[in-house]
Amino acid sequence: MNAAVRAVVRMGIYVKAKVYFVYEGYQGMVDGGDNIVEVSWESVSSILQVGGTVIGSARCKSFRTREGRLQAAYNLVQRGITNLCVIGGDGSLTGANLFREEWSGLLEELAQKGKIDEEAVKKYAYLNIVGMVGSIDNDFCGTDMTIGTDSALHRIIEVVDAIMTTAQSHQRTFVLEVMGRHCGYLALVSALACGADWVFIPEYPPEEGWEDSMCVKLSENRARKKRLNIIIVAEGAIDCHNQPITSEKVKDLVVQRLGFDTRVTILGHVQRGGTPSAFDRILASRMGVEAVLALLEATPATPACVVSLSGNQAVRLPLMECVQMTQEVQKAMDEGRFVEAVRLRGRSFENNLNTYKLLSHKKPDAELPKTNFNVAVLNVGAPAAGMNAAVRAAVRVGITEGHKMFAVIDGFEGFSRGKIKEISWGDVGGWTGQGGSILGTKRTLPAKYLEKIADQMRTNNINALMVIGGFEAYESCLQLHEARSRFEEFCVPICVLPATISNNVPGTDFSIGADTALNAIVETCDRIKQSASGTKRCVFIIETMGGYCGYLANMGALAAGADAAYIFEEQFDIRELQANVEHLTEKMKTSIQRGLVLRNENCNENYTTDFIYQLYSEEGKGVFDCRKNVLGHMQQGGAPSPFDRNFGTKISAKAMQWISKKLKDTYRKGKVFANTDDSVCLLGMRRRNLVFQPVAELKNETDFVHRIPKEQWWLKLRPLMKILAKYKTSYDVSDSGQLEHVAMVSPKEAETGAI
């Protein structure tokens, strides 16, 4: 929430508006006095990395009464406030909407009581409201992600990872209870992200006799040498008779029926706390700026709206439509219409549920179809967190579809040497939380081994390839596509999944691994800022990875609240460096006496990190000290973030289904023959959808010299970072959200689906 507060304040000041804090939620608005205070630029400094909210939040009974709202209206009019930005859940937002509807009536009543004059009634005739949804449950319809959800998932996954090591040692079963009284999002996504054995959520109660099927599943897993079981229970979980399923009940069941050593862990308020994740900070900063733009454009005729995220796109939705749909979900659940409830939650929720069902339960061999197709999976390029989650999903979905799955060790180099083996369902158990690449990965491109690779494909009868990796993976598949005329073996369906911390693959907004790297950068920047706040008057210059792609530097700067980010995509000269130094010199005169500058490793061959460090040191003499820090390979390591686990799992499952379809379509006369452009595709996230794009078509969108796409969506967020760092710059509003309606998702749409 603090990132959103900071963005609203700074964007408000940037557009020359007066900005006020209302402390303690609606209670502060009713009480007035010192609870409503005008704020400055510096008021929101150093709050980006703080959890919770610095302006406080409180439940307020008096605001539910007309008298309370009358008092609140009086307090706002006294200060000339007619634009409200509300961050909260559906209760807070419904309250805000009611307040807006009553506004003119409240003012008239105040005038009748002689508290304000007729002039004020005319001057402040309309109240504009924009909402942002802050809720860790992600239970608000119309938005893919609410502010706080990703950070809550971080907390849960940290705990699950820690518990897994102890459960592994002692051969235990753990029942974890996570928040979500009315919404199972946290339980579902954390189950997906850690490969839990079973999950209970309010929207999708287990069928009659679930006790038996769960115990069978757990004992089967033990029999397969799996040393631990994880069961995740949402606090609002119910069975099909609307009776609660508690973590204690699940534990007792496992102990009585199976005699397993079982422990319960209730995560409770841990999930609400801690430092916000990089994703949440960027989301909240984007939403905050969007909220100010929405308020500026609001007219008496526009309905109160919420700003939210759909895929990777900022959108505005009518507040009451969202609230009504959120209430519809609860109604459907109360009436036992659970299929409907899942559909109403939106396509992202539905996708999560379907993917979880696909990956968690292995059908008996007798029930699996047999296609006689062999599919190989390999990693190419540098390791990225989340690659293993993608391999696991590919293997399991492939087996479910009836294929024989093969794993290639050490990329195309290993392929040429015949390092290929069949891989089973159980072999990939526990892979989701592992960083790096378990299969091994090499940057070698296939061009110099084409003949040997073709031999291996023939020997092992490989009918399709899934290549998971960065720019090298994309280039490799282009080479295989171009070699089809010489080698018939490459005339098979091939799918590339983008996985690189640099996020420099054309055809996708996000790559597997970039979120984990971004979190590593932001965490380090937080620590550095903290050390600088002690020494005062200190500027840190931090070098990030990314090749020529400035994604990590730019987004890291946005999430860490940096003063500048130097990237290759936006050329800079000595004058700009000079301006940045002057900007920091000015900043040192304020109460914020520290600076943070990020530099992409290849942003300029002459203006190196050392050069910039020396320039800043010389120019800042007597005003500030300078330090430098090269982050290096720590950005590639670490356990994958929840986003990367989830993203990797979902796009991989989708890619495998695409491969199966292509195999069926191209199987003729006893063999697979696929030689069209659309049989070598890259699966990417574009704005709101997942799209398969032929690599041959992406060629025109690629700058091969610098290994980056010619157009990159995140450059639109550049001005945002500069505005929040107090630079005068123009902000392109053409991409800001237009008011849309909440769409009901048709089953067909859910398939083309968002993340």
Side-chain angles (χ1 to χ4, degrees):
M1 281 183 163
N2 286 329
V5 168
R6 170 179 178 266
V8 170
V9 169
R10 294 195 167 175
M11 188 66 183
I13 292 171
Y14 171 79
V15 296
K16 311 257 188 303
K18 268 184 170 186
V19 186
Y20 290 83
F21 273 168
V22 178
Y23 287 101
E24 312 309 334
Y26 290 131
Q27 192 64 54
M29 206 192 290
V30 175
D31 295 346
D34 292 345
N35 289 306
I36 307 177
V37 182
E38 189 178 346
V39 287
S40 68
W41 190 272
E42 279 123 61
S43 308
V44 290
S45 170
S46 304
I47 67 169
L48 204 49
Q49 64 276 15
V50 179
T53 164
V54 294
I55 57 176
S57 173
R59 301 196 185 279
C60 174
K61 282 195 179 135
S62 47
F63 193 73
R64 294 184 177 175
T65 64
R66 188 168 165 98
E67 286 68 51
R69 294 192 290 277
L70 190 69
Q71 188 56 41
Y74 174 72
N75 289 332
L76 293 186
V77 170
Q78 289 303 92
R79 295 165 179 80
I81 299 172
T82 53
N83 293 294
L84 270 190
C85 181
V86 182
I87 311 172
D90 56 350
S92 314
L93 299 177
T94 314
N97 193 60
L98 176 64
F99 191 41
R100 177 177 186 264
E101 284 169 355
E102 291 182 349
W103 183 256
S104 52
L106 292 170
L107 293 200
E108 275 163 21
E109 195 177 322
L110 286 170
Q112 278 160 13
K113 289 184 174 172
K115 286 196 164 183
I116 58 172
D117 54 21
E118 285 301 325
E119 182 66 24
V121 176
K122 281 189 193 130
K123 192 174 174 186
Y124 305 121
Y126 301 106
L127 178 70
N128 295 319
I129 281 182
V130 170
M132 283 186 268
V133 192
S135 150
I136 66 162
D137 294 337
N138 201 19
D139 57 356
F140 196 78
C141 291
T143 172
D144 277 359
M145 278 295 249
T146 56
I147 297 168
T149 305
D150 189 64
S151 302
L153 284 171
H154 271 260
R155 296 300 90 79
I156 295 170
I157 294 304
E158 283 159 17
V159 171
V160 174
D161 286 355
I163 278 178
M164 275 183 151
T165 49
T166 154
Q168 189 97 27
S169 317
H170 294 280
Q171 294 207 29
R172 282 195 176 137
T173 296
F174 267 89
V175 181
L176 260 99
E177 185 181 301
V178 300
M179 281 184 165
R181 215 166 327 147
H182 306 294
C183 177
Y185 184 88
L186 289 178
L188 180 57
V189 174
S190 44
L192 246 187
C194 70
D197 298 275
W198 204 273
V199 65
F200 294 99
I201 57 173
E203 293 87 346
Y204 189 75
E207 292 161 6
E208 281 283 8
W210 61 267
E211 295 90 344
D212 298 331
S213 30
M214 183 180 83
C215 291
V216 167
K217 164 102 194 286
L218 296 179
S219 50
E220 272 177 7
N221 279 353
R222 279 294 164 95
R224 287 201 205 110
K225 300 276 188 295
K226 188 175 176 190
R227 293 176 59 92
L228 79 160
N229 305 106
I230 300 264
I231 300 165
I232 293 184
V233 185
E235 59 180 335
I238 46 173
D239 62 17
C240 49
H241 305 298
N242 247 331
Q243 292 306 306
I245 296 176
T246 63
S247 40
E248 279 301 327
K249 181 177 173 180
V250 176
K251 174 200 159 173
D252 295 342
L253 185 77
V254 177
V255 173
Q256 284 159 12
R257 297 227 185 156
L258 302 171
F260 289 171
D261 186 358
T262 308
R263 299 280 191 273
V264 173
T265 301
I266 296 173
L267 294 190
H269 281 75
V270 164
Q271 297 159 82
R272 286 193 187 278
T275 304
S277 66
F279 181 94
D280 265 335
R281 297 182 197 192
I282 292 164
L283 169 71
S285 300
R286 285 176 72 180
M287 297 300 102
V289 168
E290 187 68 36
V292 173
L293 295 175
L295 282 172
L296 290 176
E297 292 164 22
T299 66
T302 50
C305 74
V306 282
V307 289
S308 87
L309 195 69
S310 171
N312 186 27
Q313 183 73 24
V315 292
R316 297 178 194 171
L317 301 163
L319 188 143
M320 284 324 284
E321 280 185 29
C322 296
V323 170
Q324 273 153 0
M325 196 147 134
T326 306
Q327 289 165 352
E328 282 293 314
V329 180
Q330 193 53 48
K331 200 170 152 210
M333 278 155 58
D334 293 342
E335 293 168 7
R337 293 179 287 118
F338 294 109
V339 175
E340 177 84 355
V342 168
R343 198 167 63 86
L344 286 167
R345 277 269 178 249
R347 56 186 186 169
S348 166
F349 189 89
E350 207 168 351
N351 260 346
N352 281 323
L353 185 60
N354 293 337
T355 311
Y356 177 76
K357 288 193 285 194
L358 255 183
L359 297 174
S360 60
H361 303 279
K362 182 182 193 256
K363 289 181 183 159
D365 289 347
E367 286 178 33
L368 288 173
K370 281 280 172 284
T371 60
N372 295 327
F373 292 133
N374 294 346
V375 181
V377 183
L378 69 162
N379 291 158
V380 178
M387 275 183 164
N388 300 321
V391 173
R392 168 184 174 267
V395 168
R396 292 196 168 178
V397 175
I399 290 170
T400 309
E401 304 261 329
H403 314 317
K404 236 186 189 175
M405 296 302 296
F406 287 83
V408 178
I409 313 298
D410 295 341
F412 283 109
E413 199 175 304
F415 207 166
S416 68
R417 296 195 191 137
K419 289 173 143 182
I420 178 168
K421 57 172 193 200
E422 194 180 338
I423 187 164
S424 71
W425 182 281
D427 292 341
V428 291
W431 277 29
T432 28
Q434 307 276 332
S437 158
I438 296 173
L439 292 182
T441 177
K442 287 266 198 295
R443 288 176 181 269
T444 326
L445 296 176
K448 55 181 182 183
Y449 300 115
L450 287 172
E451 215 158 299
K452 287 180 178 169
I453 294 170
D455 281 348
Q456 288 299 332
M457 288 188 65
R458 196 167 50 249
T459 312
N460 293 287
N461 190 23
I462 300 296
N463 309 111
L465 280 182
M466 187 189 284
V467 186
I468 302 167
F471 200 85
E472 289 89 354
Y474 158 69
E475 264 187 301
S476 300
C477 293
L478 264 176
Q479 291 180 356
L480 296 181
H481 175 256
E482 281 156 14
R484 277 176 163 182
S485 52
R486 305 203 313 271
F487 301 97
E488 206 176 280
E489 289 81 358
F490 300 141
C491 294
V492 295
I494 300 174
C495 189
V496 189
L497 291 188
T500 163
I501 68 164
S502 308
N503 199 22
N504 62 335
V505 181
T508 187
D509 290 356
F510 294 116
S511 304
I512 300 166
D515 184 68
T516 306
L518 202 52
N519 275 297
I521 292 168
V522 169
E523 211 172 292
T524 310
C525 289
D526 284 351
R527 289 184 180 182
I528 285 172
K529 274 171 81 171
Q530 200 172 19
S531 83
S533 63
T535 46
K536 296 272 191 301
R537 297 180 176 248
C538 203
V539 173
F540 279 87
I541 291 156
I542 296 174
E543 183 186 300
T544 67
M545 287 170 94
Y548 284 97
C549 176
Y551 178 81
L552 289 178
N554 188 67
M555 300 308 260
L558 186 57
D563 296 284
Y566 298 119
I567 58 172
F568 170 77
E569 291 86 347
E570 197 174 272
Q571 291 296 304
F572 56 96
D573 56 20
I574 196 73
R575 282 180 293 280
E576 185 153 342
L577 290 169
Q578 173 78 31
N580 290 148
V581 173
E582 284 166 8
H583 186 265
L584 282 165
T585 309
E586 281 305 303
K587 187 178 174 184
M588 294 300 159
K589 293 176 186 165
T590 69
S591 57
I592 319 166
Q593 299 187 346
R594 50 155 217 298
L596 188 65
V597 175
L598 271 69
R599 178 191 175 273
N600 158 272
E601 56 184 355
N602 289 347
C603 64
N604 188 303
E605 58 180 330
N606 295 316
Y607 297 145
T608 60
T609 302
D610 283 334
F611 175 89
I612 293 177
Y613 163 69
Q614 286 163 350
L615 178 85
Y616 272 61
S617 298
E618 181 58 36
E619 295 293 318
K621 255 189 195 160
V623 184
F624 55 78
D625 286 338
C626 214
R627 307 268 187 283
K628 65 170 192 256
N629 204 323
V630 177
L631 298 186
H633 280 77
M634 61 162 282
Q635 296 162 80
Q636 265 179 12
S641 67
F643 181 90
D644 281 332
R645 297 180 194 199
N646 202 353
F647 184 53
T649 299
K650 281 202 279 196
I651 64 170
S652 180
K654 196 173 171 72
M656 205 66 228
Q657 289 165 329
W658 176 86
I659 285 176
S660 298
K661 188 178 179 305
K662 282 279 179 238
L663 283 169
K664 282 190 198 99
D665 296 349
T666 57
Y667 184 70
R668 288 186 198 84
K669 297 180 184 161
K671 64 181 280 194
V672 171
F673 186 74
N675 65 343
T676 53
D677 280 357
D678 68 357
S679 60
V680 187
C681 278
L682 179 137
L683 173 55
M685 161 110 175
R686 281 264 168 114
R687 287 201 150 200
R688 299 190 189 188
N689 295 312
L690 286 174
V691 211
F692 289 95
Q693 302 146 99
V695 289
E697 286 176 18
L698 290 174
K699 240 173 126 171
N700 304 329
E701 296 180 22
T702 312
D703 167 357
F704 284 98
V705 180
H706 299 106
R707 300 158 57 92
I708 51 175
K710 288 179 184 168
E711 279 189 20
Q712 304 187 80
W713 68 274
W714 52 266
L715 284 167
K716 288 204 176 86
L717 300 184
R718 255 315 272 155
L720 195 86
M721 187 213 92
K722 292 180 179 174
I723 288 169
L724 297 177
K726 215 172 186 176
Y727 282 91
K728 292 188 172 32
T729 178
S730 60
Y731 186 66
D732 173 18
V733 292
S734 63
D735 202 43
S736 66
Q738 298 306 308
L739 193 68
E740 301 176 15
H741 289 286
V742 182
M744 280 299 302
V745 185
S746 66
K748 183 77 206 124
E749 237 188 302
E751 280 168 33
T752 60
I755 295 298

